[in-house]
Every structure is written in C-alpha cells, then in structure tokens.
Amino acid sequence: MAMFDVVTFGSAVIDTFVETEFNEKSNSFSYPAGSKILVNDLKSDIGGGATNTAVAFSRLGLNTGCVCKIGDDNNGLDVLNMFKREKIKFLGSIAQGETGESIILDSKGNGRTVLTFKGPGNSIRLSEIPKIKTKWLYYSSVLGESFKTQVALAKKLKAKIAFNPSEYIIKAMDVRPLLKLTEVLILNKEEAQLLCKKYAPKGVPAKAGKERDLMVCLREFGPKIVVVTDKNKLAYAFDGDKKYSIKPNNVKVVERTGAGDAFASGFVAGVIVGWDMNKCLKLGLKESESVIRYFGAKNKLLRMKLR
Ligand SMILES: Nc1ncnc2c1ncn2[C@@H]1O[C@H](COP(=O)(O)OP(=O)(O)OP(=O)(O)O)[C@@H](O)[C@H]1O
Ligand SMILES: [Mg+2]
C-alpha cells in the first residue's frame, strides 16, 4: 500500500463566480425582485476545501490523496479529470445525483455572498473510504455524517491531523473530539473567537481578546500548533512556547475565494516537510497572495518542490 504524505478530506464543488455591479450597503446586497440582471462576467472553476488544498499540496511535490464525495454528473467528471491532471489520488466516492456547487456573487468592492449547495459532500461514511496509509490528514469543514467520519478516520489511522474549521461547523458541531486529536489548527480570527467563546475551557480567560490569550485558549483544546489569520492584518502562529507572526503585503484583491485554504495548505505543507514556523508562515502567505490576485480558488497555487 502506497504511503501518502497527506490526504485531504472535505468538500469538492464547482465554484461559479458571478461578477455584478452591486455595491454593499450596511452589510448586505439587494437585488431587485422580478427583474433580469445582466452580469459582467461568469466564470466556473473547481473548488471546495478538499480539492483546493489537495492541489496546493500536490503542486508542492507531496504525495497527495483526496477524500470527498461527488455526484455522477458532468461536474463530478470534471473533478475527477482535474485530480488526474494534478496527480492527486481520488479516495472518495461517487453518489447518484448532482455534485455540490457554490454560486459566488462578487460585487464592486471586496464583499461577496456565497450561495452553497453541498451536494453529497456531507454524507461520507467510513466504509466508503479505501484502506489508506498517510502521514498527515488535512481536514476542511464538513457537516453531518462526514464530520463523524473525520473523527473516526482520525482515530483509525493515527496520522497527524491538520484542521481548518469554518464558522458554520463550529456553530453546528461539537468539534472538541477532533481538536483533541489535532496537531495543527488553522482558522481566522472570527472562528477562533467563536470557538473560545463557545467552550471557554477552564483556566483560560473567556475574553480571549489578545492574540496570545486567544491562541493559549485554542491550544487548551488539544492542538500543538495554532495559526490565526485575519485578512490583510498580521497572521499569528503559536506552538505553546513562542509566538510568531507575519504581515500580509499590500496586494490587489481580484477575487478572494480560496485565500484561507491557500494559506492553510501552504503553512501545513511547510510543517509536513519539517520547516520552522517562520518559513511555514511565509509559504502560507505566498500561497494566499498568489490566489487572491486571480479568479478561482486554485488557479495560481504555486508549483515548486519543497524537498
Ligand atoms: N485583503 C488581503 N490582502 C492581503 N492578503 C490577504 C487579504 N485577505 C486575505 N489575505 C491573505 O490570506 C490569508 C487568509 O485570509 P483570511 O484571514 O481572510 O482567511 P479566511 O477568512 O479563512 O478565508 P476564507 O474565506 O478563504 O476561508 C491572510 O492571512 C492573508 O495572508
Ligand atoms: Mg477559512
């Protein structure tokens, strides 16, 4: 049985970017009802946390597999062809029906609204995953049955876990059993605060306002390394001993979808090959900046061998 460096587990969807002229007003967009709205541009690409990060890892020269669930439609075929092109081993399953899809309503500013159809992505059972050996598992957000399977697989494989939970799974699921098994936890500031507020473990200040308090709080859940990103503000990493940070450069944001996935997979790839924290942060930053300069969550992910 081949040994993977990393197997990603999460969603595989089609991202459709709709470029509109709408402006954000008091945190929302409004579209006139009953009218036909002309859009400036429409682009599609393969997205979803599991495929975005698998492409990042594979392009960095890591032997990569991907657990996700797609439909038996043309979109599902596109996903499988992309895996072949990118030298990623598909370790998931194909369900009857449609592959998941996200409609990303981009506006004039940097705001966007995502309408997301999960498809079969949240119904992955442990029995659907082939026998595998991997050094690392990279978990992006999934709900329901798939989340339970992530926990079960983590226990079964005893691989190291990197976990990038999003707001909706922190709200919907009890992620603590998974955090206990996690080596590297990466999330944005809002997600980090939400997690600490929801559980506030003993001995940790609930306010968790300062970065260090926040990261101390997150480490109490189990992860050895925690990383907190905050858009164009400093990104922090903490290993329980030292705090590291990196300042994002002033880049022109063309389309920000996939920024978080790119940062997280770059950082984790560095950890996988044994780099120090500063070097890992630099690679995360480089990946995310490359992605936000262009449409699509994975088009401009870096191609280079880490070892
Ligand atoms: N406006 C920006 N300018 C420069 N860099 C950015 C900007 N937005 C994001 N980044 C880069 O991407 C990283 C991750 O962004 P962010 O903190 O928004 O993650 P996220 O909220 O998890 O994103 P996602 O919505 O993709 O999940 C940042 O740490 C930074 O390196
Ligand atoms: Mg994110």
Side-chain angles (χ1 to χ4, degrees), residues 47-112:
T51 79
N52 293 341
T53 55
V55 169
F57 289 127
S58 184
R59 288 188 184 178
L60 293 171
L62 301 179
N63 187 11
T64 306
C66 180
V67 175
C68 58
K69 198 164 178 176
I70 53 179
D72 60 354
D73 55 357
N74 284 330
N75 286 340
L77 264 182
D78 284 348
V79 173
L80 295 178
N81 286 330
M82 181 278 292
F83 283 152
K84 264 187 217 131
R85 252 188 345 262
E86 299 283 348
K87 300 188 177 63
I88 294 160
K89 177 91 172 145
F90 175 57
L91 301 168
S93 59
I94 303 171
Q96 258 177 27
E98 280 160 38
T99 299
E101 186 155 357
S102 288
I103 310 291
I104 297 143
L105 300 169
D106 282 309
S107 64
K108 293 221 90 168
N110 286 337
R112 54 160 195 183

Side-chain angles (χ1 to χ4, degrees), residues 15-305:
D15 284 336
T16 297
F17 300 91
V18 185
E19 200 187 314
T20 74
E21 290 285 347
F22 286 82
N23 280 309
E24 193 173 332
K25 255 190 215 135
S26 45
N27 278 326
S28 66
F29 296 104
S30 72
Y31 303 103
S35 64
K36 193 177 265 184
I37 297 162
L38 292 176
V39 300
N40 298 337
D41 199 5
L42 196 69
K43 284 195 188 79
S44 277
D45 195 9
I46 295 159
T51 79
N52 293 341
T53 55
V55 169
F57 289 127
S58 184
R59 288 188 184 178
L60 293 171
L62 301 179
N63 187 11
T64 306
C66 180
V67 175
C68 58
K69 198 164 178 176
I70 53 179
D72 60 354
D73 55 357
N74 284 330
N75 286 340
L77 264 182
D78 284 348
V79 173
L80 295 178
N81 286 330
M82 181 278 292
F83 283 152
K84 264 187 217 131
R85 252 188 345 262
E86 299 283 348
K87 300 188 177 63
I88 294 160
K89 177 91 172 145
F90 175 57
L91 301 168
S93 59
I94 303 171
Q96 258 177 27
E98 280 160 38
T99 299
E101 186 155 357
S102 288
I103 310 291
I104 297 143
L105 300 169
D106 282 309
S107 64
K108 293 221 90 168
N110 286 337
R112 54 160 195 183
T113 299
V114 184
L115 310 175
T116 177
F117 165 65
K118 292 289 172 193
N122 290 330
S123 65
I124 302 171
R125 289 188 307 271
L126 194 59
S127 59
E128 293 174 315
I129 304 170
K131 270 208 168 74
I132 47 173
K133 274 189 184 168
T134 184
K135 292 174 199 152
W136 282 82
L137 285 166
Y138 178 100
Y139 285 173
S140 63
S141 298
V142 285
L143 289 165
E145 183 71 26
S146 294
F147 178 75
K148 286 186 203 152
T149 301
Q150 283 186 331
V151 179
L153 188 70
K155 287 180 178 160
K156 187 178 145 189
L157 294 186
K158 298 184 182 78
K160 288 188 172 161
I161 313 288
F163 183 29
N164 178 218
S166 65
E167 186 178 325
Y168 67 80
I169 98 150
I170 296 168
K171 281 184 180 154
M173 315 296 285
D174 184 356
V175 293
R176 286 173 297 177
L178 193 49
L179 291 174
K180 267 197 202 123
L181 306 170
T182 296
E183 181 87 9
V184 182
L185 173 68
I186 302 196
L187 25 57
N188 68 32
K189 195 174 174 186
E190 289 76 35
E191 291 152 354
Q193 285 169 336
L194 190 65
L195 197 55
C196 285
K197 270 201 203 106
K198 187 165 173 185
Y199 301 113
K202 272 190 271 154
V204 171
K207 61 175 170 57
K210 286 246 183 297
E211 289 81 24
R212 196 180 174 94
D213 290 348
L214 193 57
M215 291 193 292
V216 166
C217 162
L218 294 172
R219 269 189 98 258
E220 292 281 312
F221 295 113
K224 310 272 182 304
I225 300 171
V226 301
V227 181
V228 179
T229 64
D230 189 10
K231 302 187 190 74
N232 60 347
K233 300 194 195 82
L234 287 179
Y236 293 92
F238 182 54
D239 59 8
D241 182 26
K242 258 191 85 178
K243 190 180 92 175
Y244 307 82
S245 67
I246 196 163
K247 173 97 184 77
N249 297 303
N250 207 348
V251 301
K252 185 173 165 5
V253 181
V254 174
E255 214 295 323
R256 52 151 294 117
T257 301
D261 289 339
F263 190 98
S265 46
F267 183 91
V268 170
V271 176
I272 291 175
V273 296
W275 285 3
D276 65 52
M277 296 280 112
N278 284 319
K279 225 172 149 190
C280 294
L281 283 172
K282 268 189 201 149
L283 184 58
L285 187 76
K286 215 169 152 191
E287 287 279 17
S288 64
E289 287 178 350
S290 184
V291 159
I292 62 183
R293 283 198 179 96
Y294 199 74
F295 272 92
K298 56 165 75 70
N299 282 330
K300 298 289 168 178
L301 286 166
L302 307 172
R303 293 174 195 273
M304 60 192 243
K305 296 274 175 279

